[in-house]
Amino acid sequence: MTIKKMTIPIELLFSLVIVAVVVTIITLICVDLNKQIQHVNKNIEATVIATNILENINSRTYDGLNEYIQNLAGTGVQKKINESTQNIIIDGNQYDENFFGTEIPKDYIIDFTAVRSSENFDIVKEVNIIVRYKVFNEEEKFEISSAIERENIEECNSPVISDTYFQELNFNSDEYDIIPIKFSKTLGNFVTTNTNDSEWYNYSAKKWAKVLIFSRDADNIKDLFIDENGNIKSSVNYDNIVLDVTNYIYVWIPNFSIKDDVTYFRYGTSKRAIKMDFQYLNGKYLYLNRVGEEISNISDDCSFDGIYGVWTKLGDESNIYYQNFNRTKYAPINIY
């Protein structure tokens, strides 16, 4: 018996080759497309991780940032810290906690570095955050950088001029003029000023921030006291009655407390003390205020809970805040 040898038409063979090539190309395209989709998705997630970490860092005080880094520990954490550089590596496959308030997913590694930019003083850090991940066993990364500056913390909380802070005194900006003032030694009288004036107050010198408050329905008493140049008279005659300017003065008492007979201003609405600090290197001093430990309230009635400070009438010893503050080293007030 003769076996006939089968032959494949050249046209069919060519078609099969074309199909195979097309299938191969489609497969390669699908693989590449899948790779690109994973790359985009993972890059987006890495971007969110890095920006969330940076936002959390920016919400902290400078000292709070250093404290967090010092206390950070756990499985999946590697730290290398010296005088000028802080480096932290977080392995998301091992670390189960949040890093700067951010969950680190599996397969992501965070490389965080903070470098002190000044040779002399720790006042600015250059922060760099790298989020590493793999796409089809190829390492990818997203990187973001920023500069974190030490806060310029004042000696005490700045005065707040808003209706919220005058509502206990039954004043509001619709019915009353609230005018910052200071004493001019050159002119020998009070003058109007503004909240940006560096000479408005100085609590170390017992110069409390002061404002004049006039009712807008009080027959232009404000115009009797204040001339067009902002000079303020010490007294005026109104309807045959002598009015003294001090009767219209209100003073700012910043958030403060006392511990072991030492008076501390406290930062913001918190209970944490503002403390003078200094850094010294190579014969140079830099004086800075920093946020320290918590100082408990003087009493339930003098707590400053949720507020930066209070406004009270000058000389009002019935006010619990004025009463206590007037017995500190920042008193008695230097009116002039």
Side-chain angles (χ1 to χ4, degrees):
M1 183 176 64
T2 303
I3 299 176
K4 293 183 178 180
K5 187 176 181 180
M6 295 184 62
T7 59
I8 301 176
I10 188 67
E11 294 84 357
L12 179 59
L13 181 62
F14 182 74
S15 297
L16 291 174
V17 170
I18 293 296
V19 169
V21 170
V22 170
V23 169
T24 301
I25 292 174
I26 292 175
T27 301
L28 291 174
I29 290 174
C30 289
V31 169
D32 185 66
L33 182 62
N34 184 40
K35 182 177 180 179
Q36 292 201 31
I37 291 173
Q38 286 198 41
H39 170 77
V40 170
N41 289 339
K42 287 203 167 187
N43 182 262
I44 291 173
E45 188 164 21
T47 304
V48 171
I49 292 169
T51 53
N52 284 347
I53 290 173
L54 189 58
E55 285 179 6
N56 185 278
I57 290 171
N58 285 324
S59 70
R60 298 172 183 268
T61 65
Y62 197 83
D63 289 333
L65 169 63
N66 286 331
E67 183 179 349
Y68 179 88
I69 291 173
Q70 291 292 337
N71 294 334
L72 185 67
T75 304
V77 177
Q78 298 179 42
K79 289 200 304 184
K80 295 180 180 179
I81 298 177
N82 56 43
E83 185 178 350
S84 62
T85 304
Q86 298 164 314
N87 177 252
I88 301 170
I89 296 177
I90 302 292
D91 186 344
N93 293 302
Q94 303 178 50
Y95 191 66
D96 295 328
E97 306 295 328
N98 285 351
F99 178 62
F100 283 113
T102 305
E103 181 181 354
I104 310 303
K106 305 295 184 185
D107 300 328
Y108 284 84
I109 293 176
I110 311 302
D111 190 341
F112 168 91
T113 305
V115 180
R116 191 176 74 185
S117 61
S118 170
E119 294 182 3
N120 296 326
F121 303 112
D122 185 16
I123 55 176
V124 179
K125 292 184 189 297
E126 301 292 340
V127 172
N128 190 60
I129 302 167
I130 301 175
V131 182
R132 304 183 189 278
Y133 56 94
K134 287 187 177 182
V135 178
F136 281 81
N137 293 320
E138 294 182 11
E139 185 174 280
E140 305 274 351
K141 69 178 182 179
F142 175 82
E143 186 171 357
I144 189 171
S145 300
S146 182
I148 309 298
E149 297 185 13
R150 184 182 288 274
E151 307 82 359
N152 181 23
I153 299 174
E154 294 189 38
E155 175 189 24
C156 61
N157 287 340
S158 301
V160 181
I161 296 182
S162 71
D163 287 351
T164 300
Y165 279 81
F166 286 100
Q167 63 184 2
E168 292 293 328
L169 298 169
N170 296 316
F171 296 137
N172 63 72
S173 56
D174 292 329
E175 299 176 358
Y176 292 86
D177 289 311
I178 301 171
I179 308 160
I181 64 170
K182 67 179 182 180
F183 189 81
S184 170
K185 291 184 178 180
T186 303
L187 299 173
N189 56 258
F190 284 112
V191 295
T192 60
T193 185
N194 58 71
T195 57
N196 295 320
D197 187 350
S198 61
E199 297 180 350
W200 183 24
Y201 60 89
N202 182 347
Y203 282 83
S204 291
K206 302 182 181 181
K207 290 172 57 179
W208 305 2
K210 296 176 283 290
V211 295
L212 282 177
I213 300 181
F214 294 111
S215 171
R216 293 178 180 169
D217 296 329
D219 299 327
N220 295 324
I221 288 180
K222 181 185 86 168
D223 294 333
L224 292 177
F225 275 107
I226 306 174
D227 68 20
E228 60 184 9
N229 296 316
N231 293 303
I232 302 169
K233 297 176 182 178
S234 59
S235 62
V236 298
N237 190 306
Y238 174 75
D239 199 17
N240 295 322
I241 299 173
V242 177
L243 303 178
D244 194 288
V245 71
T246 57
N247 292 328
Y248 300 89
I249 294 179
Y250 289 77
V251 294
W252 172 256
I253 299 175
N255 180 4
F256 81 98
S257 192
I258 300 172
K259 178 182 179 182
D260 299 329
D261 296 325
V262 178
T263 303
Y264 295 95
F265 287 117
R266 299 189 296 191
Y267 182 71
T269 61
S270 74
K271 311 300 180 186
R272 301 185 68 181
I274 299 174
K275 290 189 169 184
M276 171 66 77
D277 195 9
F278 72 90
Q279 297 182 25
Y280 174 79
L281 188 65
N282 298 332
K284 296 181 180 180
Y285 285 93
L286 178 67
Y287 290 91
L288 300 164
N289 288 321
R290 64 178 178 84
V291 180
E293 75 277 11
E294 288 193 358
I295 307 295
S296 60
N297 298 327
I298 295 173
S299 66
D300 291 339
D301 295 329
C302 189
S303 65
F304 293 92
D305 284 343
I307 55 176
Y308 290 87
V310 296
W311 289 100
T312 182
K313 190 170 185 179
L314 174 66
D316 184 7
E317 281 286 349
S318 66
N319 182 286
I320 191 67
Y321 294 99
Y322 190 98
Q323 185 184 114
N324 279 280
F325 194 60
N326 204 35
R327 288 162 174 73
T328 69
K329 67 178 182 178
Y330 301 104
I333 183 175
N334 181 0
I335 300 177
Y336 305 112

